[in-house]
Amino acid sequence: MDEIRWIETLAMNAWPAEILDELDGWKLRWHRMSSRRVNSVWPNEWGGEIPLAVKLEKVEYFYTLRGQPARFQICPAALPSGLDEVLEARGYTVDALTAVQTASVKKVLKQAYKGGLGVEVKVFERLEEEWVAAYCLVQEAGVKNVPARKEALGRVSVPGVYVLVRVNDDVAAVGRGVLERGWLGVFGMTTGNEFRRRGLATLVLGALAGWGQAHGAAKMYLQVMENNAGAKALYAKVGFETLYQYHYREQAHTL
């Protein structure tokens, strides 16, 4: 359980919310961007000073003020024990079952695609406009979203790396890594539709792993939706295995 809580802490630091309030151990996250992770409660610590019923009311008020339903990210480390069942009884629905997978850096380096003719791999140790623009392009987010994405990513305070793959000068795939305490978290993995099934995602993973190894990382972690069979198969090829799962509990909409 300690390892799960530790990875969840690293992941929270790797994608920080715009607003982070602490409530008796829980972290209440809010962000103007539509991302479940940074618009949900991180409930993996328990202060024990406020009754659970009161805490739930405070959480719901926090998100109501911001025009959102309350949402909890529930993993095996969530506290108190039985929180998931309490939220279910309160009418919260389940969403976005996700696997958290880990792999050794050495194994990913060994298994990853090494590239080929016309394939260029660029590695940035700082958040650059070129990478953010490429990230928005492959995610089909549009140019207008570039400043907002850059602002959000700019809040990450731990060391990071940004990988961009071009094929014949066209943006093909991107990914980013966040380094903390010997772990490299993998985020933002995206491949353009016309470049899929060419091994480019594993090329990105290999570049991230290479940078991580050079900076002291021994292990990697990532999150992948359980219903994304293609991504799970891809990650399995380079050595990732599921360590645990999490899901979200979202407050039912009320009139």
Side-chain angles (χ1 to χ4, degrees):
M1 194 66 71
D2 288 344
E3 185 176 35
I4 292 174
R5 186 170 292 111
W6 180 241
I7 291 175
E8 286 300 304
T9 300
L10 299 181
M12 180 169 58
N13 296 340
W15 187 230
E18 188 172 346
I19 292 176
L20 180 66
D21 279 3
E22 184 166 337
L23 178 63
D24 194 33
W26 289 355
K27 307 294 191 299
L28 279 55
R29 301 174 292 187
W30 179 86
H31 200 293
R32 71 187 73 184
M33 292 173 58
S34 58
S35 167
R36 294 184 189 91
R37 175 173 289 274
V38 288
N39 285 288
S40 62
V41 179
W42 186 95
N44 303 320
E45 292 180 4
W46 181 259
E49 297 181 1
I50 302 175
L52 177 58
V54 176
K55 288 177 73 168
L56 292 175
E57 291 177 0
K58 288 180 177 293
V59 165
E60 291 170 358
Y61 182 66
F62 174 91
Y63 287 101
T64 296
L65 286 178
R66 291 161 178 82
Q68 293 184 6
R71 182 185 295 116
F72 287 75
Q73 184 188 347
I74 301 293
C75 76
L79 294 172
S81 177
L83 175 61
D84 196 37
E85 290 75 16
V86 170
L87 294 173
E88 181 178 25
R90 202 174 176 91
Y92 280 65
T93 58
V94 173
D95 191 22
L97 180 61
T98 303
V100 177
Q101 301 189 329
T102 62
S104 74
V105 167
K106 288 183 179 180
K107 192 166 188 177
V108 173
L109 279 171
K110 182 178 180 181
Q111 300 295 335
Y113 173 55
K114 302 301 188 290
L117 187 66
V119 178
E120 177 192 17
V121 181
K122 301 187 74 172
V123 178
F124 305 94
E125 292 196 340
R126 294 185 301 176
L127 186 61
E128 304 283 356
E129 294 279 358
E130 181 181 357
W131 187 89
V132 179
Y135 173 66
C136 289
L137 179 65
V138 293
Q139 288 209 332
E140 300 179 349
V143 175
K144 67 180 181 180
N145 289 302
V146 171
R149 296 292 177 97
K150 185 175 181 181
E151 186 272 335
L153 290 167
R155 282 197 300 276
V156 180
S157 60
V158 290
V161 60
Y162 307 85
V163 174
L164 164 60
V165 173
R166 293 183 183 274
V167 175
N168 297 323
D169 295 327
D170 292 326
V171 173
V174 298
R176 73 180 181 100
V178 179
L179 178 66
E180 188 174 0
R181 306 293 180 92
W183 284 86
L184 186 75
V186 177
F187 298 89
M189 290 288 298
T190 314
T191 302
N193 291 330
E194 65 272 37
F195 296 103
R196 292 178 179 173
R197 297 180 177 83
R198 299 191 192 182
L200 299 180
T202 71
L203 180 59
V204 172
L205 287 168
L208 292 172
W211 182 91
Q213 185 179 64
H215 291 79
K219 296 182 180 180
M220 302 171 70
Y221 70 90
L222 56 77
Q223 298 98 14
V224 57
M225 297 285 287
E226 280 288 8
N227 62 4
N228 191 340
K232 290 175 67 179
L234 181 150
Y235 295 139
K237 286 181 180 179
V238 294
F240 281 91
E241 296 180 348
T242 296
L243 177 63
Y244 64 95
Q245 296 175 321
Y246 70 78
H247 61 269
Y248 292 93
R249 281 282 183 183
E250 184 171 313
Q251 184 183 23
H253 295 282
T254 57
L255 296 178

